[in-house]
Amino acid sequence: MAMTGVLRPGHAQVRVLNLEESVRFYRDVLGLVETGRDAQGRVYFKCWDERDHNSYIIREADSAGLDFFGFKVLDTATLDRLEADLRAYGLATTRIPAGDLLETGERVRFELPSGHLIELYAEKTAVGNGIDEVNPAPWSQQREHGIAPVRLDHALLYGPNVAEVQKIFVDVLGFYLVERVLTPDGEGNAAIWLSCSHKVHDIAFAEYPEKGKLHHCSFMMETWEQVLRAGDIMSMNKVAVDIGPTRHGVTRGCTIYAWDPSGNRFETFMGGYQPYPDYKPLTWTFDNFGQGLDYPQRKLHETFLTVVT
Ligand code: M3P
Ligand code: FE
């Protein structure tokens, strides 16, 4: 499809309890590439095959969780237009100056009715993926370190007012609904999966009473074998695994959910199908939520509903 408007998830800033322990985890176990540190003490990472300077930023704090989640948009004209559209819709926006995040341009930030801070930005320095731009090799040495996902793929966020959140993403930001799980009475959505691209989801939300919660940030692996290898590396490093390796019914993605040392859940993920914006959304009834989460086991794992940061 012609990609305009919002391009993709670009960055997540996550709070961790112990910075250096977390750096060792994200760099050496998950295998992200450390790309910088700033005056506030934040540590910046990217996945090996991402080309922009950073996609995952951690800062030390007293509680785990998500500070904000950012999407890259096509260009500054698109950023200005989307900011105007958000304001016309009735949302307050603030501009964060270029350079506040390393190698990142001006950001437009707004708060969703779910309590999450979402950002849009047009510029982040392209540092490349360590592979030549002329006659490129298929991968670089950076893929040989830890789990080594190729990119930050999506996030699942928990909070109230998911119906309003859906309207903002669909009516203002140009996303489309790919799948949903109905509430027990069938009247509303308990969870929604939204795409701004050809991916099966770029962001997802589940209805939850507390505002601004993180369920997981997801990192894309290239193959199912790489997901299994991620599970091996998790066990070798005594990482706390939540669910999997298994396959989600929703999205058909193959997955492991696990926790970082601070209790932030992350996912190593591959697959799913490739939807288009004209596809009719797929619907799961609440009694089939278990298959949606874990298709082989048909199990609605308790932690999926209750453990968030
Ligand atoms: C995902 C994901 C359900 C969970 C689905 C999860 C239906 O698709 O990417 O994490 O419970
Ligand atoms: Fe996921």
Side-chain angles (χ1 to χ4, degrees):
M1 66 187 287
M3 300 266 292
T4 59
V6 180
L7 296 182
R8 60 171 177 272
H11 58 234
Q13 181 169 305
V14 171
R15 298 186 299 275
V16 298
L17 303 180
N18 179 315
L19 192 71
E20 288 310 322
E21 178 191 35
S22 301
V23 168
R24 283 194 296 277
F25 171 77
Y26 282 108
R27 187 189 55 207
D28 299 335
V29 181
L30 191 52
L32 305 185
V33 180
E34 185 181 332
T35 56
R37 298 192 180 210
D38 69 17
Q40 295 178 34
R42 295 181 291 191
V43 183
Y44 293 67
F45 297 96
K46 68 187 275 296
C47 300
W48 75 266
D49 204 20
E50 289 171 323
R51 301 178 185 200
D52 287 355
H53 178 270
N54 58 75
S55 61
Y56 198 80
I57 303 130
I58 60 173
R59 77 169 174 99
E60 192 167 274
D62 294 335
S63 65
L66 180 74
D67 281 336
F68 52 80
F69 195 80
F71 291 91
K72 193 174 196 189
V73 306
L74 183 64
D75 53 23
T76 52
T78 305
L79 187 66
D80 294 345
R81 177 178 59 80
L82 289 172
E83 182 180 36
D85 291 349
L86 287 164
R87 288 182 174 221
Y89 188 82
L91 288 164
T93 63
T94 52
R95 288 242 174 188
I96 298 160
D100 171 78
L101 273 183
L102 287 185
E103 304 295 335
T104 304
E106 210 176 3
R107 290 130 67 203
V108 169
R109 178 183 283 182
F110 59 98
E111 184 175 340
L112 292 170
S114 56
H116 299 97
L117 293 180
I118 299 294
E119 299 184 345
L120 307 176
Y121 67 93
E123 289 167 347
K124 204 186 278 282
T125 308
V127 297
N129 56 2
I131 300 174
D132 290 338
E133 285 176 15
V134 178
N135 307 324
W139 46 271
S140 77
Q141 287 298 321
Q142 291 174 338
R143 198 184 72 167
E144 300 303 285
H145 187 69
I147 291 171
V150 290
R151 69 162 185 244
L152 174 68
D153 190 83
H154 65 267
L156 170 56
L157 306 179
Y158 274 33
N161 306 312
V162 164
E164 286 173 51
V165 169
Q166 180 177 333
K167 277 178 71 73
I168 293 163
F169 275 92
V170 172
D171 295 349
V172 186
L173 298 176
F175 285 59
Y176 61 101
L177 181 68
V178 180
E179 300 204 23
R180 60 182 178 151
V181 176
L182 297 176
T183 48
D185 65 9
E187 299 291 317
N189 295 334
I192 56 171
W193 284 260
L194 298 159
S195 180
C196 64
S197 67
H198 202 18
K199 288 161 56 190
V200 73
H201 54 336
D202 288 296
I203 189 132
F205 290 89
E207 190 72 36
Y208 191 72
E210 225 180 312
K211 280 189 156 190
K213 292 297 180 184
L214 171 66
H215 187 276
H216 66 269
C217 289
S218 184
F219 296 93
M220 196 181 88
M221 309 304 303
E222 289 170 288
T223 64
W224 171 230
E225 191 177 6
Q226 287 276 318
V227 176
L228 293 178
R229 179 175 171 278
D232 295 340
I233 294 173
M234 288 175 195
S235 189
M236 287 170 192
N237 289 279
K238 302 190 169 49
V239 172
V241 171
D242 178 19
I243 301 174
T246 187
R247 183 213 280 275
H248 297 303
V250 172
T251 75
R252 299 187 202 153
C254 300
T255 177
I256 302 174
Y257 285 154
W259 287 286
D260 82 354
S262 309
N264 293 303
R265 191 189 280 94
F266 67 98
E267 176 177 43
T268 52
F269 168 92
M270 67 76 58
Y273 56 97
Q274 288 91 42
Y276 282 92
D278 65 323
Y279 279 24
K280 197 174 166 201
L282 302 181
T283 299
W284 296 78
T285 52
F286 194 82
D287 57 323
N288 279 270
F289 207 150
Q291 285 92 313
L293 175 60
D294 185 338
Y295 200 78
Q297 290 202 73
R298 301 189 302 281
K299 186 171 167 187
L300 186 49
H301 301 256
E302 177 67 19
T303 51
F304 181 81
L305 298 173
T306 57
V307 180
V308 290
T309 54

